[in-house]
Amino acid sequence: MEELDPGMFTVAKYRRVGFAVACVLLAVVALTLIIPFWHSIAWGVALAILVHPIHKRINSRYGDQISAAITTILTLLFIVLPLLLIGLAVFGEINHVRDQITQEAASGGEVLSVNKAIDDIDAS
């Protein structure tokens, strides 16, 4: 029978194995928490990549706090505001179409008809 090395089962070895197991478990828990937010994280990374060169240029002229405030305001004005306005326009159009469909259904007319849509386009 083989003899076991007395140093094979030392406390240090158990600590290393325990630390590795703890790290793997922590990584699994962290990924489980992050997965629902990966879309937001990806958008944040994309936005940071777009805005970082502007922030560096502003930061070279002004201090850290002022450049951060200016960068935030510019980001809101040039990226978020147009997206918000486009979203509001789409929402308004959807409401308009919904109102038209409701009126057509109430009057007993054809609600969704390709021929009616073509006739409406030709008439205008």
Side-chain angles (χ1 to χ4, degrees), residues 26-122:
L26 188 63
V28 168
V29 169
L31 284 174
T32 305
L33 291 173
I34 289 174
I35 286 174
F37 303 106
W38 76 273
H39 285 99
S40 301
I41 293 169
W43 277 108
V45 168
L47 190 61
I49 290 170
L50 287 173
V51 173
H52 183 67
I54 297 168
H55 176 71
K56 275 179 61 175
R57 181 175 287 172
I58 294 171
N59 197 18
S60 66
R61 281 196 177 164
Y62 306 104
D64 290 337
Q65 293 176 345
I66 294 174
S67 65
I70 292 172
T71 304
T72 302
I73 292 169
L74 288 176
T75 302
L76 289 173
L77 286 176
F78 290 109
I79 295 176
V80 176
L81 187 64
L83 290 175
L84 179 68
L85 294 175
I86 290 169
L88 289 173
V90 168
F91 183 73
E93 288 297 320
I94 289 172
N95 281 333
H96 179 70
V97 168
R98 184 199 56 180
D99 292 341
Q100 283 184 332
I101 290 172
T102 305
Q103 287 175 357
E104 287 292 324
S107 67
E110 293 181 39
V111 177
L112 294 174
S113 170
V114 175
N115 292 332
K116 183 179 181 316
I118 292 173
D119 290 342
D120 289 346
I121 291 172
D122 287 340

